Every structure is written in C-alpha cells, then in structure tokens.
Amino acid sequence: MTRDHVAVVVVGAGPCGIGCVRELHRLGAASPDRVLVLEAADHPGGLGASVVDQAGFTWDRGGHVVFSHHGEFDRLLLDVLGDEVLHHDRSSWVLADGAWVPYPFQNNLHRLGPEGARECLVGMIEAAGSRPAQPAAGHGVGGDGAGDGAGAGEPSFAAWIQATFGPGVARRFLTPYNTKVWATDPADMGAGWIAERVSVTDWRTVLANTLARRDDLAWGPNNRFTFPAVGGTGEIWARAAAPLAPLIRYGVPVERVHAGERWVEAGGGRTSFDHLVTTMPLDLLVARTVDAPDEVREAAAMLVHNTVHVVGVGVEAPLVDDRSWLYFPDPEVPFYRATNFAKYAPANVPGADTARYSSWMCEVASSATHPRTLDHIGPDVVDALRHTGLVPPDAPIASLHVEELPYAYPVPTRGRDAALAVVQPWLDARGIYARGRFGTWRYEIGNMDHAVKMGIDVARRIVSGTAEELV
C-alpha cells in the first residue's frame, strides 16, 4: 500500500525523476516519509533504460549519446560512472541518392553527384534572399501560447525547410527524413522547436566547401560524446537509482489523480501530496486527472506523439565500421536511423568480443497518421541492413531484438504551444509539475541532460522557492 501522505510524489524513475529525488536528498528533503516515487516499469531509466537480450547483446531504448548543456548533469554522470566511460568523436552520415554524405547533409553537398550538388546549391542560393529569421524556441511551461490552435503566426516546418534550404535539400533529405522520424507530415509541424536541432548554414560556406571538396563535420553539440563503458545508457540510471531504492515503488502505474484534493491512486492505494512531480506523458496525465476541466482535456487531446520500434540486430561478423550512426531518408528503408552500437562500447556485444560480433540498433517510427506494417519488422530491417551494405550478405544473425516504445517523441505540431499554454498553467497552479520529455512535451528540451536539469530545478523550487531555469 502507498503511504497516506507525503510531501512530494514523483511519477517516473527516469532521468527527470531521478534528478529530482537526488536533489531533494541533497537538500535534506528526501526521507522515506516525505518522498514517494512511483514507477510503472520494473526498472529505472524510462526511455534511457537498457536491456540485455538472451544472446548477450546490450540494447538501448533508442539512439542515445551522452553530451550536456548543464553542469548538473555532468556532476551526476561523474558521480555515478566516474571514469567508466568511453569518449567518441561523432562520425555520422546520411545515405542519399546512393551517396554517403557526412552529417549535417546540407553542409556537405560535395559528397553528392554533380547534378544533386548543383540542384541543392542553386536552391540554397535562391532561398537565401527570402530566408526567414530563425524561429524562436517554442513557449515553455506556463508560456502564453503561440496564437490559435492551428499554430497561427508560426510557419510550418515544411515551409521553413523550403524557404531556408530550397527544393534540392528539402527533397533529397530534410523532408523525407523528417517525415520518417516523426511519422508526421512536416506541413503539420511547427518550426519554433528547431534551435540547435537543424543546422542553418550560409550558402557561401557550403559553396566554398563544395569547391574545395572539404567536409564540414563539427556542427552541433554532440560532435563529441560520451558513452558508458558497460551496461548501455541504462547503466547511468541503474546506478543513480540504486541509493534511492527505499523511496521507489516499481511496477506501480498511476491510475488516477485529483488535482484539487491533491491525491494520487496507484497500486491499490491512495496517497495525498503537497507537490506532484510527474514525468508521465502529459496527455495520459490529464486523462487520469479526474477533476480536469473540459478545456484542459481538449487541449491535451491535441498533443501528438509517435511510436518507435527499436530493432537490435546482433551480427556474427567483426566490427569494422568506424561510423557512429547513420540516417536514411529513403522511404524504402524501414528505419530512419541505424546506430553502430558495438562501436559505442565493446561491452554491448557478448564477451566484448568485437573481433567476432558487431551490432546495429535501428529505429522504425509510426503514428496514427503514418502507421507501419510491423508483422515482418525484424526480417525487413535485416534485409535493409544487408542491402545498404552495413551487414555482410553472408554474415549470420546472432540476435534479433525488437522493443516497442509507445511514446518515443513528442511531435512539435503547429498547435502544440497553444495546447501547452492551457494545460501547463492549470496543473502548475495546483502543485502538479509536469516535467521531462513527455511532461513538458517539448522535444527541443527532451535530452537526458535537459530532463535531469528540469528535475533538479523543480526540486529546488519545491524546497526553497527558487525559480526554475529550464521551463
């Protein structure tokens, strides 16, 4: 049974929830009689968890690399892993028009054939005269919205791609790739989320690189990244959660919440709270909040997400590919991204034997508007890996692991910010703080370091009234 009353209930033992409880503990406010953590899964980590399959291959729940904008996350990583990490320079490529192009695609057009490079360059030059200003990041928790429910005043992502890069880059990479990863038409997405997610490069730089046939590889915050030496990304959260075990109840999903009376029902019991920090998907939270008014329910119902199936392919062939991860805009390839997981850490394959094994972790997205037939997803992925040259034609498959992530990415639709402007202030005013990737429903602050920072910030707000920095 849950306890009758605690000061803080935390829903979710993923990066945000763990960050919050660790900070409450640091502040002396996390005794078992004051804090209760409810986790629906039987393990910590959320989307940052990892699994070891029956053949001994380790897989993450999607493509994760460790890089940081926030010192709080850096300190957590050092605390739980110390020097048990590996460091990598990013080597990321796009397969487009039959050519491997370094990421970012639009910075490295010289890798295309002459006609493809010419079309992309001409499009970028012609678009430059009418290029829109870089969109501001979408409104945060408690923001004042972005026009009406259709996202009035904000350009669509599709229109922004065309106006910024021209038709060549749009057609060859950005439009088909983003349609695959989001399982959403870019015309239905806003452009206010892009910030550091999409490289906007002056055409003069691209032209100079093309003429010199020079690669531009350094863009972005993850051009150098860290990865746990053992255990996958989930090792971070398993170690961080271990000292908090007396506070965490695993396998206990939230069933109902009453915002006005401040109680939560889970595991057959009811617990009242002073504060609720929740990382569960915002639409599910509102659906389970019994006293949420109609306008809040209607706004939450506007929020869109995709589903991702992670397909891990363990191969009985040596690790020879030195690249990190690869992008596939081609609609005929089922996955949008393939991660060279044995490259991240030898321990991700059985016995850390990369002279015998390699492994590819592939992601296939779907949604209500862009469903996929999943009956043969494993074999289809293996066939595509062989067809694209990542797996040798005759290499035996040692493992095929498929895992579904029902909530993978919160889609930044054009109506998202208007919906959040209704839902978040209503919750916040009642001591309910929805944070993390799916609590805020903001992909642009959806990395692990952002989640930890949000958890720490809300803990400080609860204890001392300190204003949150990342909202």
Side-chain angles (χ1 to χ4, degrees), residues 91 93 105 119 144 355 366 391:
S91 177
W93 297 70
F105 173 88
E119 182 190 7
D144 59 0
S366 62
V391 172

Side-chain angles (χ1 to χ4, degrees), residues 290-317:
V290 297
D291 59 330
D294 288 345
E295 60 269 23
V296 172
R297 294 184 183 279
E298 292 167 3
M302 294 172 57
L303 299 173
V304 176
H305 70 279
N306 72 0
T307 294
V308 167
H309 283 78
V310 180
V311 182
V313 181
V315 185
E316 194 163 351

Side-chain angles (χ1 to χ4, degrees), residues 4 19 21 43 47 61 93 149 207 216 295 337 372 466:
D4 292 337
V21 179
H43 57 266
L47 290 173
R61 305 186 76 204
W93 297 70
L207 177 60
D216 179 4
E295 60 269 23
R337 179 169 58 191
R372 292 195 66 97
T466 305

Side-chain angles (χ1 to χ4, degrees), residues 33-97:
D33 62 331
R34 290 182 52 81
V35 175
L36 172 66
V37 183
L38 302 172
E39 171 54 59
D42 62 1
H43 57 266
L47 290 173
S50 303
V51 62
V52 179
D53 69 19
Q54 292 183 341
F57 289 84
T58 297
W59 306 107
D60 276 3
R61 305 186 76 204
H64 299 295
V65 296
V66 180
F67 63 98
S68 177
H69 306 76
H70 303 291
E72 291 92 337
F73 178 78
D74 297 334
R75 288 188 287 274
L76 180 150
L77 192 68
L78 181 63
D79 183 36
V80 302
L81 290 185
D83 61 358
E84 296 178 60
V85 296
L86 302 173
H87 301 284
H88 299 281
D89 291 321
R90 180 187 67 206
S91 177
S92 182
W93 297 70
V94 177
L95 181 59
D97 283 357

Side-chain angles (χ1 to χ4, degrees), residues 294-352:
D294 288 345
E295 60 269 23
V296 172
R297 294 184 183 279
E298 292 167 3
M302 294 172 57
L303 299 173
V304 176
H305 70 279
N306 72 0
T307 294
V308 167
H309 283 78
V310 180
V311 182
V313 181
V315 185
E316 194 163 351
L319 172 62
V320 294
D321 198 316
D322 197 47
R323 295 172 295 182
S324 308
W325 68 87
L326 310 170
Y327 297 111
F328 297 86
D330 184 352
E332 297 303 312
V333 176
F335 42 86
Y336 59 86
R337 179 169 58 191
T339 297
N340 189 3
F341 213 46
K343 163 72 175 174
Y344 280 18
N348 290 339
V349 302

